[in-house]
Amino acid sequence: MTSTTKIAIFASGSGSNAINIYNYLISKGSNIKIDCIITNNAKADIINKAKSLNIETILFDNLTFLNPSKLIDFLLDRGIQFIVLAGFLRHIHEDLINIFPQRIINIHPSLLPKYGGKGMYGIKVHEAVIKDKEEFSGITIHLVNKEYDKGQILYQEKVKVSKEDTALSLAKKILEVEHKNFPLVIEQYIQSYKEI
Ligand code: GRF
């Protein structure tokens, strides 16, 4: 792959994955470039973090994600080729999926299909895993299709849940595994997609 590939990262909160992906791509001198970060949350920590790295962040209100024509126009105008959802807490509208088929990648902090679907996000996932006394949780990186959390799985990795784990300690362990793997999976997927 020689030409530049522009990606947009969607993030709603702390944005540690977004920053980690940015650092990885920069350190590798990758031709996959983060063009911008899209957020729905004016108070998201990612806004200041991105600013300090000179990454443009654009805020769209929640209504735009329900009726995304403005967002779609924006992404197409910018020449965005892939979207990465990294801690993004809004539903992805079908119209956006149709414009970017097989080109939206999400990370979910459990071993899907377990602990996925509506209402299962963030700390709620880890609370449910702890409540059920699961022996393992983990991460799932998958493509986004019209069925919530059911798109093609690109990568999964197990994380052992210890007896001492709380939802918070498990979230921390899982986030580390996300950071280790998400940039690599994104890079490999985009490269293989472009080679087809
Ligand atoms: C991650 O665990 C992600 O899987 C989940 O929310 C967390 C986001 O973390 N959807 P961050 O915003 O990237 O720090």
Side-chain angles (χ1 to χ4, degrees):
M1 188 179 65
T2 48
S3 60
T4 297
T5 302
K6 282 189 185 181
I7 67 172
I9 300 190
F10 287 24
S12 300
S14 124
S16 68
N17 275 292
I19 298 303
N20 180 60
I21 295 162
Y22 173 84
N23 287 336
Y24 173 86
L25 295 174
I26 291 290
S27 73
K28 283 206 65 181
S30 173
N31 40 24
I32 301 168
K33 306 274 181 227
I34 300 177
D35 179 76
C36 57
I37 291 175
I38 305 287
T39 189
N40 63 310
N41 177 8
K43 293 187 180 147
D45 284 346
I46 183 59
I47 297 175
N48 284 331
K49 290 182 187 168
K51 199 170 172 190
S52 69
L53 292 169
N54 270 328
I55 312 169
E56 189 181 348
T57 303
I58 301 107
L59 174 71
F60 284 96
D61 61 21
N62 285 330
L63 281 178
T64 305
F65 295 96
L66 293 172
N67 177 8
S69 55
K70 201 166 77 178
L71 173 63
I72 290 171
D73 288 348
F74 174 84
L75 296 168
L76 294 177
D77 277 356
R78 295 283 282 237
I80 301 298
Q81 291 154 283
F82 291 85
I83 295 171
V84 171
L85 309 179
F88 184 66
L89 301 182
R90 303 304 298 181
H91 179 63
I92 297 298
H93 194 281
E94 206 176 311
D95 290 353
L96 192 57
I97 297 172
N98 289 336
I99 300 285
F100 293 91
Q102 313 277 74
R103 288 189 285 129
I104 306 179
I105 306 168
N106 183 41
I107 190 156
H108 187 83
S110 77
L111 295 172
L112 289 176
K114 290 186 112 179
Y115 304 99
K118 223 168 187 284
M120 272 295 164
Y121 58 86
I123 199 71
K124 290 178 194 223
V125 176
H126 309 301
E127 282 167 355
V129 169
I130 295 288
K131 187 165 164 269
D132 289 353
K133 300 191 171 26
E134 292 281 0
E135 197 186 344
F136 289 100
S137 187
I139 68 165
T140 302
I141 299 169
H142 66 97
L143 298 178
V144 174
N145 67 7
K146 287 168 203 169
E147 282 184 282
Y148 216 83
D149 284 341
K150 286 191 179 158
Q152 183 196 331
I153 291 175
L154 301 176
Y155 182 80
Q156 287 189 302
E157 187 167 316
K158 279 183 179 177
V159 172
K160 177 110 180 73
V161 184
S162 71
K163 289 201 174 61
E164 296 73 38
D165 267 324
T166 60
L168 278 177
S169 68
L170 180 60
K172 195 162 168 266
K173 279 205 248 181
I174 286 184
L175 197 60
E176 279 169 24
V177 179
E178 293 186 11
H179 289 172
K180 188 167 73 107
N181 292 288
F182 201 17
L184 287 140
V185 174
I186 292 167
E187 184 184 45
Q188 276 163 15
Y189 179 72
I190 292 178
Q191 274 167 359
S192 61
Y193 185 99
K194 297 199 82 159
E195 276 158 17
I196 294 170

